[in-house]
Amino acid sequence: MASLTVTQVPSPSKPPSPPTKTFPSREHLKLNHNDAPFDETPRRNVVSWTSSISRHCRNGQLSKALMSYSLMRSADIEPNHVTFVTLLSACADFPLEAFGLGLSLHGYICKSGFDDRNVALGTAVIGMYAKCGDMDSAEKVFDKMSVKNSKTFNTMIDGYVRNEHVDKAISMFNSTPVRDKVSWTALIGGFVRNNLFEEALECFREMQIAEVEPDYVTIIMVLTACANLGGLVQGLWVHRYVLGKDFSKNVRVSNSLIDMYARCGCITLAAQVFERMCSRSPVSWNSIIVGFAFNGYAVEALEHFTLMEKAGLKPDGVTFTGALTACSHAGLVNEGLQCYDKMRTVYGISPRVEHYGCMVDLLSRTGQLDKAFKVIESMPMKPNEVILGSLLAACQTHGNVVLAERLMGYLLELKPDGDSNYVLLSNIYATHGRWDGVGRVRKVMKELGIRKRPGVSSIEINGTVHEFVAGGNSHTYPDAIQNMLDQLGPELKVYGYVPEVTRDESNEND
């Protein structure tokens, strides 16, 4: 793979170490009596104790694993490297709860004089530090190891991308002696996690050139990149690859395909993937419901919501976000209110900010601005800019200047430099001939140094994404585009379109 330079992602300073947790003393530790087979073992040795610890770790029972470890030490039985690898892996899975234990385990390992050529143990220590956000300590352990294998390098790559050190992850990847599918997947996942979607797809292409077979995790990461880029052509190619490699039976891959097609606007293909699934998880239902909702297919979204309930699956917060969004986009006020009530009373789900946002949007679109504002006032958390901005835009549509001014006060507290909010309020004043208000808004923007950012839109044609900036002519074919716009203008007027030019916009360069 050619060296990838990612200068736009700065390496943040070392994150604060998670809080340590005080674990109970050995005198207060007791094994659960459900461990009867272990309790009946006539002679307990390091193998049987480690087996008990491992079983608890696999079941996510960290406290029980610690009990077994403490009792093992009380019995004067020394742990071996397998014991430590097991416990360190558990610490990595529960970083906030067990970082203190991980530190003490590493200290004990160092004092016990374990061979630095023990690759599994060294890699487990690195993984613990990496998942706990302490990459400085992980690097020190890595540098001291005299023997490393591919898993050691992969653990470092994963640690770097988890902690947003993408440039270091690339450097470690380039120095890895053997790049297997785990190495490639870790780097691709790092690009996706840090919103470097084009780099993720380029990395996948180079993985194909290197003839390294991806697994389902790789495919999910690549589909996520396609979804975020709106890259339908790349997504179609990945789908064909999925069918050729028989990944289509994997539920998580199918869920990612549904999400990718829905976010690319191809809801028909998303529905086909959903219908052909042999088994479906709650995520499958959520993906198709949300997909229908955000693509304007409200009836289909609500139908699938009902089908999900009939299938015996319990809707969650994401499901209701999709259903409420569908009601909002279709103006189905009664259905939206019923859905909102069902979420709280039938399924016991406390509304989150996105659910309140859906209700505000639903009421705003249908002109019930006062009710929408009451929803905002009833929120147990502070409303975000999206919710307030949604109602502010409705104020322009329905001509409510008083509420717009009130909302602007909230918005200025949240984001005082938000240019779109100032422009929207200015346009509301201009629509109602309130030129004094327009002047005040423009004066405040000038004093604060706020400038209106030009609008941007994009479209994908034959695998190439074309971006257009309002007032710009940086595209490859500006003359052809302008000629087409000149032709469309008169035709739009025939159908009654009249551009809305306010005094604020016409004097924008004053």
Side-chain angles (χ1 to χ4, degrees):
M1 172 180 175
S3 177
L4 294 171
T5 303
V6 185
T7 57
Q8 68 269 39
V9 181
S11 297
S13 58
K14 175 183 173 182
S17 299
T20 58
K21 181 177 179 180
T22 303
F23 294 95
S25 61
R26 296 178 188 171
E27 290 77 12
H28 295 88
L29 293 174
K30 293 182 180 180
L31 280 175
N32 191 305
H33 290 292
N34 292 333
D35 294 323
F38 177 74
D39 291 336
E40 295 169 2
T41 304
R43 186 169 183 174
R44 301 173 186 170
N45 55 23
V46 64
V47 175
S48 54
W49 279 108
T50 301
S51 177
S52 174
I53 293 170
S54 178
R55 183 173 68 255
H56 291 315
C57 290
R58 286 196 305 271
N59 294 328
Q61 300 168 326
L62 181 61
S63 60
K64 290 185 178 181
L66 298 181
M67 289 180 186
S68 294
Y69 174 68
S70 294
L71 288 174
M72 174 184 177
R73 295 292 306 280
S74 297
D76 292 328
I77 295 177
E78 288 294 318
N80 60 18
H81 77 278
V82 178
T83 315
F84 286 121
V85 169
T86 302
L87 285 169
L88 287 166
S89 299
C91 292
D93 291 335
F94 301 93
L96 292 178
E97 297 91 339
F99 185 61
L101 173 65
L103 289 173
S104 63
L105 288 172
H106 187 202
Y108 184 84
I109 291 168
C110 294
K111 291 179 182 178
S112 301
F114 274 86
D115 193 341
D116 63 359
R117 290 175 295 180
N118 192 315
V119 181
L121 188 55
T123 302
V125 174
I126 291 172
M128 182 274 295
Y129 280 122
K131 289 189 177 180
C132 290
D134 188 356
M135 284 307 298
D136 288 342
S137 297
E139 288 174 346
K140 291 176 182 177
V141 176
F142 180 83
D143 292 338
K144 288 181 180 179
M145 291 178 65
S146 57
V147 180
K148 307 177 181 77
N149 60 15
S150 60
K151 187 174 181 180
T152 313
F153 282 89
N154 293 342
T155 302
M156 286 295 293
I157 295 170
D158 181 70
Y160 281 133
V161 297
R162 281 178 180 272
N163 293 283
E164 300 181 9
H165 298 284
V166 181
D167 51 346
K168 289 187 176 182
I170 295 170
S171 178
M172 182 62 66
F173 177 85
N174 288 333
S175 64
T176 302
V178 179
R179 301 171 189 170
D180 55 19
K181 64 183 177 184
V182 179
S183 314
W184 287 95
T185 301
L187 190 58
I188 292 170
F191 286 136
V192 171
R193 190 175 289 112
N194 290 278
N195 299 323
L196 300 169
F197 305 115
E198 292 182 358
E199 286 83 351
L201 294 181
E202 176 61 28
C203 191
F204 180 66
R205 281 190 284 268
E206 297 200 26
M207 182 181 183
Q208 299 299 294
I209 294 172
E211 298 182 350
V212 177
E213 286 288 326
D215 59 13
Y216 77 94
V217 178
T218 321
I219 297 300
I220 290 172
M221 293 294 180
V222 173
L223 286 170
T224 302
C226 293
N228 281 278
L229 285 173
L232 179 59
V233 173
Q234 296 95 325
L236 286 167
W237 184 90
V238 176
H239 192 179
R240 287 194 293 269
Y241 184 90
V242 165
L243 295 173
K245 298 294 182 180
D246 205 27
F247 282 120
S248 56
K249 294 179 181 178
N250 186 291
V251 175
R252 292 180 60 188
V253 171
S254 295
N255 293 343
S256 296
L257 282 168
I258 294 170
D259 180 64
M260 182 273 296
Y261 279 130
R263 292 174 70 176
C264 289
C266 296
I267 192 61
T268 302
L269 293 177
Q272 288 179 5
V273 174
F274 179 82
E275 294 300 329
R276 292 171 182 172
M277 293 178 68
C278 299
S279 61
R280 303 181 183 112
S281 68
V283 175
S284 311
W285 287 95
N286 286 348
S287 297
I288 194 64
I289 291 170
V290 172
F292 276 128
F294 280 90
N295 282 277
Y297 292 83
V299 174
E300 290 80 357
L302 296 177
E303 285 178 350
H304 280 73
F305 179 87
T306 302
L307 289 172
M308 180 181 182
E309 289 182 303
K310 289 181 178 179
L313 295 174
K314 181 181 177 181
D316 59 14
V318 177
T319 321
F320 279 100
T321 298
L324 290 171
T325 300
C327 294
S328 175
H329 287 183
L332 304 174
V333 178
N334 291 333
E335 290 83 348
L337 292 172
Q338 291 172 6
C339 185
Y340 183 70
D341 183 64
K342 177 188 283 189
M343 177 181 70
R344 295 177 298 165
T345 59
V346 177
Y347 292 103
I349 299 174
S350 298
R352 297 195 298 265
V353 64
E354 57 266 30
H355 301 123
Y356 286 110
C358 288
M359 293 306 298
V360 170
D361 189 57
L362 170 63
L363 295 169
S364 298
R365 286 172 182 259
T366 53
Q368 302 180 57
L369 305 189
D370 291 335
K371 289 184 178 180
F373 187 67
K374 287 181 180 179
V375 171
I376 291 177
E377 290 184 312
S378 70
M379 291 174 61
M381 71 288 289
K382 284 188 176 182
N384 58 28
E385 185 188 4
V386 175
I387 293 176
L388 295 171
S390 171
L391 185 51
L392 182 62
C395 288
Q396 180 182 21
T397 303
H398 299 281
N400 194 325
V401 180
V402 175
L403 182 56
E405 291 175 330
R406 191 172 180 182
L407 288 169
M408 197 64 187
Y410 286 99
L411 284 164
L412 289 177
E413 290 182 12
L414 283 175
K415 195 174 182 182
D417 59 345
D419 63 306
S420 60
N421 299 322
Y422 288 99
V423 172
L424 190 53
L425 181 61
S426 176
N427 289 342
I428 293 173
Y429 282 135
T431 301
H432 291 80
R434 294 275 301 274
W435 304 114
D436 57 331
V438 173
R440 288 197 305 271
V441 172
R442 292 178 63 82
K443 182 180 178 181
V444 172
M445 291 180 69
K446 186 175 182 180
E447 290 175 349
L448 297 176
I450 299 172
R451 297 182 61 85
K452 178 182 176 183
R453 289 173 295 180
V456 180
S457 62
S458 62
I459 186 173
E460 182 192 11
I461 301 175
N462 296 328
T464 302
V465 177
H466 299 264
E467 187 176 87
F468 303 91
V469 181
N473 58 356
S474 59
H475 194 272
T476 309
Y477 305 104
D479 294 336
I481 292 171
Q482 188 59 51
N483 290 335
M484 178 59 69
L485 291 174
D486 292 340
Q487 295 176 30
L488 288 174
E491 293 185 24
L492 288 171
K493 289 181 180 179
V494 172
Y495 290 94
Y497 172 75
V498 179
E500 181 180 322
V501 180
T502 67
R503 187 163 144 185
D504 180 40
E505 292 171 334
S506 60
N507 294 315
E508 193 171 352
N509 296 320
D510 289 352

